[in-house]
Amino acid sequence: SQQGEEDPQALSIQEGENATMNCSYKTSINNLQWYRQNSGRGLVHLILIRSNEREKHSGRLRVTLDTSKKSSSLLITASRAADTASYFCATGGGSNYKLTFGKGTLLTVNP
Amino acid sequence: GAGVSQSPRYKVAKRGQDVALRCDPISGHVSLFWYQQALGQGPEFLTYFQNEAQLDKSGLPSDRFFAERPEGSVSTLKIQRTQQEDSAVYLCASSQLGRGRRDTQYFGPGTRLTVL
C-alpha cells in the first residue's frame, strides 16, 4: 500500500521557474526521502530529511518537513529541461529498511 | 560494475509462462530489495535480502512469486504462471549496510514485464 500522496499529480512549468511538490504521509516516520525517476537514469535518490529536521538544502533542492501535519515539500529552483521526471517521496529505510513510496508527481519543464 | 544492473530490461511473456528476472547489485552490498512498480504508481516493496538470507517476503503478492540470492550477491526474481496483473516494472535496489543501519538504496534501471 502507498504511504505517501504527492500533490500535484502533474506539473508543467517553463525553464527557469521554480517547481514545488508536496507529499503527505500517514504514519509516524524516522525520515523521509525524495527520489527522481526518468527513463534515462531510473530511480535516483535526491535527498533525505530526518524527523527532527525541518528544512534541508542540496544544490537547487530544498526540502521541508512538518511532522505535525505529516507533510513534506520539495522545491526545485531555477528549473531546467533536464529536471523533467517523476518525483516520489518515500518513508522508511534505515532501521525500517523497506521504502514505502507515494504515487509521484510528474514534472515537465518546457525549454 | 558502477551501479545496480538488471536483465533483461524488457520481457514479454504469454500468460501462463514462467519468467526469471536478474539483479546484479553493487559489489559488496549487503542488502538487496525487490520492488514492483505498476504503471502510474510508485514502487511497492516485494522482498528483502540481507546477504543470502531472505528476511522479509511480506510484499510478494502470491506464491507464484519467488526470489533467491543463493551466494549473497546476484538475485533472481521468478514469477510462475504469469498473469496479466503481473505486468509492471520490477526494480532491484541494493544498499551497503544491513538492516537497522541508516543507508541509501541504489536502484537499478528495472525490468519492464508485459504479460499478454
Side-chain angles (χ1 to χ4, degrees), chain B residues 46-71:
Chain B
L46 293 177
T47 187
Y48 166 69
F49 289 86
Q50 182 168 295
N51 296 309
E52 70 279 2
Q54 188 175 21
L55 298 185
D56 188 339
K57 52 183 181 179
S58 63
L60 296 177
S62 77
D63 58 8
R64 296 186 295 104
F65 287 70
F66 172 76
E68 60 183 4
R69 193 186 185 198
E71 297 179 358

Side-chain angles (χ1 to χ4, degrees), chain A residues 1-2 30-31 33 35 37 39 41-45 48 50 88 93-104, chain B residues 9 33 35 37 40-45 48 55-56 58 89 91 98-109:
Chain A
S1 61
Q2 310 280 193
N30 293 323
N31 63 71
Q33 305 179 48
Y35 282 79
Q37 185 178 41
S39 57
R41 292 195 59 197
L43 198 63
V44 175
H45 179 264
L48 178 151
R50 297 191 172 86
F88 296 91
S95 59
N96 292 326
Y97 62 92
K98 54 189 168 185
L99 295 173
T100 302
F101 290 85
K103 293 184 178 180
Chain B
R9 290 293 309 276
F33 305 80
Y35 293 84
Q37 186 174 22
Q41 302 291 316
E44 294 204 1
F45 171 81
Y48 166 69
L55 298 185
D56 188 339
S58 63
V89 176
L91 297 168
R99 183 177 59 174
R101 306 288 295 279
R102 188 174 296 123
D103 198 15
T104 298
Q105 294 183 27
Y106 297 90
F107 283 80

